Amino acid sequence: MVEGLVFRGRGDNMKVDGSALSIPLPSPPLPQRASRLACLAATTLAFLLGVVVGVMLPLVLATPPLDLPSALPSALPLQQQGEIADDGTKMMVEGGAGVTPPLHTWAPPVATTAAPGDDDNQTRWGGQEHDAPDVEEAAALLVDEVYWGAAVEAAVPRGFPDHEVDDWRRFTRRQAVVRLQEGCGRMQNRLLTFENGTQSCCRYRQNHDQIQGEIFSFYLSRLLGITNVPPSALGVVRAGAWQWAGVGGQLALAQWAEERPVVMTRFVEGLAPAFIPPALRSSRRRLHPLEVEERDPRDLAGLAELAQWSDLIIFDYLTGNLDRVVNNLYNMQWNPAMMEAPAHNLAVHAPSGLLVFLDNESGLLHGYRLLDKYETFHASLLHALCVFRRSTADRVRQLVARRDVGDRLRKMYGRHEPDLQDVLPPIPDKSVKILNERLRAVHKQISKCEQMYVGA
C-alpha cells in the first residue's frame, strides 16, 4: 500500500495510510423545508416537460391533411400558362414506379392566396412564377369587364390537378378489387373498394355510348383546364384476371358481363348537395357584369362559386349534358320549384367550396342525339352567361382556331388507355363535328359579351 495516496471527490478527501482507511462523515442533510421545495420544483419541471413532449411535439410534427397551394389559379392569358400539348393535355406519360397509392380518405385541397413574405412582387399563379397584379387590379372583382378578377380567381378551389389524375390512373391498374357494393347512382353502378381501402364509383353500362360519354367528357374537361371533374380511368371487367379474382361472385350478382369497359372515378369524401345560384333560377336568368358588381366584394366564397358556375355552363353546353341543370329546367313543367331544388349530378365539397361535376355519361354522344329536344335549355343557359374565367375562354379560343379537338381527344385516349383500343371505340366523327360547332357557339358568346361591355 502506498502511503499518502489521496482520493478526491465532491470536496472530501479519503486517505490511505497503510492499513487504515479514513472516510470523513457526509455533510449534514438539507433542512426539511428546502428539501420539500426542491421536490416540488422537480415535480413541476417534470410536468411541464411532459406537456411539451406529449402535446406540443405532435402538433409541430403533424402533417396538414390538405395541400394549401399559394396560388392565384387560372387568371392568366393562355400564352403565360403554356399552350395545350400536342396530344391535348399536360398529363404525364403512363408508367413509372414508386407512385404512392391514394389515401383511403381523400378531399380536394382548399385554395389560398400567397403567404406573406413571398419574394418581392412574385406570386405563384397556376404553379408558375409570374408578376403579381397591382393592388387595385388584385382587388377588382372583374377585369376587362367580362373576366373574373384576381381576387375571385384566388378564392376558387384548385380542384383536381394533373398529377392526381395521373396517380389515380396508375393506382387503378395496380390494385386488386376486394369488394363491390351497391351505390354511386342508379342501375348497375357499383362502389368498388380496393385492397388498400381506397374507394371508387365504378360506372357500368350495357352499351358503349355512356361509357364513351363519361371518359371523353372527362378528357375534354382537362383540355379546357376545368378541374372540377374527379379523376377517372378506364378498366375492363375480367373475372379471371388478378384484379377481379377476389370478387367473382359479386360480379355475378351485379350481372356485369365479361370484357365490358367500366369507368373508375375517384370517390370524393365530404360532398353536399349544390344549389343553382339565384341569378340563374328565374326565366330572366343572367350572370352578367352588373350582377357581379352588385355582389358584396367581401363574399369571395360566393363569388368563387359563381366563377365555377361559369365554367359549368360552358362545359355542359359543349358536352350537351342533359343530366345536370338542364334536368332541373326540363322538369319545371311538372314542378315549378325545381330550380330551388339541388342541381342534379352536382355536389359541393363543403370545406373547400369546390363544385364537383359528377356523372357526365350523357355528354358528347347520348346528349347530342337529344339536342332537338333539349337545345332550348342549353342555349338559354349559355346566353345567360357574360362573365368568364379567362383561362377557360382562352382554351376555347385555341380549340376553335386549331379545329383539332377531335384529334386531341383521340390522342389522349390512345396515350392513356393503350390497351383498351379494341374494347372501347374512340369518340365518333359525328360527335366531333357537333363539338366543334358548339365550341364556335361558346366563342361567339364570349366575343359578343366583350363587344357589349368592354369600353361601354
Side-chain angles (χ1 to χ4, degrees):
M1 186 73 64
V2 180
E3 294 186 9
L5 183 61
V6 178
F7 292 87
R8 301 185 181 273
R10 298 185 182 274
D12 298 321
N13 295 341
M14 294 190 298
K15 296 183 179 180
V16 181
D17 57 1
S19 61
L21 179 63
S22 175
I23 303 176
L25 293 175
S27 303
L30 293 172
Q32 185 175 10
R33 179 181 180 85
S35 178
R36 289 179 177 176
L37 289 175
C39 182
L40 179 62
T43 303
T44 302
L45 180 60
F47 174 77
L48 292 175
L49 286 174
V51 170
V52 171
V53 174
V55 178
M56 298 302 295
L57 189 59
L59 291 176
V60 172
L61 296 179
T63 302
L66 298 178
D67 179 20
L68 305 179
S70 56
L72 297 178
S74 305
L76 296 176
L78 189 61
Q79 61 268 24
Q80 288 181 303
Q81 296 178 4
E83 294 184 347
I84 306 174
D86 288 340
D87 65 347
T89 181
K90 293 181 179 178
M91 294 184 188
M92 297 165 55
V93 178
E94 285 299 324
V99 177
T100 302
L103 301 175
H104 299 186
T105 300
W106 187 92
V110 181
T112 182
T113 55
D118 284 352
D119 294 340
D120 301 326
N121 198 37
Q122 295 286 319
T123 188
R124 295 191 61 81
W125 290 42
Q128 302 178 21
E129 294 289 348
H130 299 282
D131 288 337
D134 58 35
V135 175
E136 182 177 354
E137 181 183 352
L141 299 182
L142 296 173
V143 293
D144 296 334
E145 305 302 330
V146 296
Y147 296 106
W148 295 104
V152 178
E153 290 285 359
V156 175
R158 172 178 79 161
F160 305 92
D162 286 346
H163 72 87
E164 291 183 4
V165 172
D166 295 317
D167 287 350
W168 176 250
R169 188 180 298 109
R170 286 190 289 264
F171 171 81
T172 59
R173 294 170 182 172
R174 299 176 181 179
Q175 286 274 320
V177 178
V178 297
R179 186 180 181 189
L180 272 72
Q181 59 192 110
E182 293 185 359
C184 292
R186 58 184 179 177
M187 302 170 72
Q188 290 179 284
N189 292 351
R190 290 294 184 269
L191 179 65
L192 303 188
T193 302
F194 292 97
E195 57 189 342
N196 78 336
T198 298
Q199 293 185 314
S200 166
C201 282
C202 191
R203 184 170 306 279
Y204 176 95
R205 290 292 182 269
Q206 292 293 341
N207 61 63
H208 285 150
D209 285 7
Q210 291 168 313
I211 298 298
Q212 289 172 294
E214 185 74 30
I215 196 65
F216 283 106
S217 292
F218 172 69
Y219 289 159
L220 180 63
S221 73
R222 307 309 295 187
L223 275 182
L224 295 168
I226 295 175
T227 59
N228 300 73
V229 183
S232 299
L234 284 173
V236 181
V237 178
R238 294 183 175 121
W242 66 269
Q243 187 169 39
W244 304 94
V247 291
Q250 297 171 41
L251 289 173
L253 289 174
Q255 298 183 350
W256 282 15
E258 286 283 304
E259 298 296 323
R260 302 299 299 182
V262 293
V263 179
M264 301 177 181
T265 299
R266 185 65 200 263
F267 183 81
V268 182
E269 300 279 352
L271 296 183
F275 292 85
I276 301 169
L280 298 174
R281 291 180 188 176
S282 71
S283 59
R284 302 180 62 182
R285 64 187 62 87
R286 52 184 273 144
L287 182 55
H288 283 228
L290 180 60
E291 282 70 36
V292 174
E293 291 167 353
E294 290 177 345
R295 297 289 298 253
D296 184 347
R298 296 169 296 181
D299 182 21
L300 287 177
L303 291 162
E305 181 179 350
L306 286 179
Q308 295 176 82
W309 270 92
S310 67
D311 271 355
L312 175 63
I313 290 172
I314 289 176
F315 180 64
D316 280 359
Y317 179 83
L318 291 176
T319 61
N321 190 327
L322 52 87
D323 282 342
R324 203 159 6 242
V325 183
V326 168
N327 176 80
N328 290 59
L329 289 171
Y330 181 76
N331 284 293
M332 283 182 65
Q333 56 190 309
W334 298 286
N335 181 1
M338 274 301 297
M339 296 302 280
E340 310 292 327
H344 196 237
N345 289 337
L346 183 68
V348 60
H349 178 253
S352 67
L354 179 73
L355 291 180
V356 182
F357 305 172
L358 300 168
D359 296 349
N360 301 290
E361 65 177 21
S362 71
L364 299 174
L365 287 95
H366 179 66
Y368 281 179
R369 287 197 293 270
L370 298 174
L371 286 179
D372 289 344
K373 182 176 182 179
Y374 294 102
E375 179 60 15
T376 301
F377 303 110
H378 290 299
S380 70
L381 287 168
L382 179 64
H383 295 154
L385 180 64
C386 250
V387 182
F388 311 93
R389 298 188 73 182
R390 191 187 295 275
S391 59
T392 306
D394 286 342
R395 293 291 180 98
V396 169
R397 289 191 184 99
Q398 187 182 118
L399 291 171
V400 169
R402 292 186 174 183
R403 293 182 293 182
D404 62 351
V405 64
D407 291 339
R408 291 172 183 265
L409 291 173
R410 290 173 180 135
K411 285 181 179 179
M412 292 173 73
Y413 177 45
R415 178 185 181 183
H416 298 306
E417 310 292 350
D419 300 328
L420 300 183
Q421 305 298 298
D422 296 331
V423 178
L424 184 72
I427 184 170
D429 289 338
K430 184 177 180 180
S431 292
V432 172
K433 180 181 178 181
I434 296 173
L435 175 56
N436 275 309
E437 293 172 354
R438 299 180 83 76
L439 281 165
R440 289 193 290 271
V442 172
H443 181 248
K444 181 179 179 180
Q445 177 67 14
I446 296 170
S447 300
K448 175 184 173 181
C449 293
E450 288 179 327
Q451 295 171 8
M452 187 185 308
Y453 289 104
V454 175

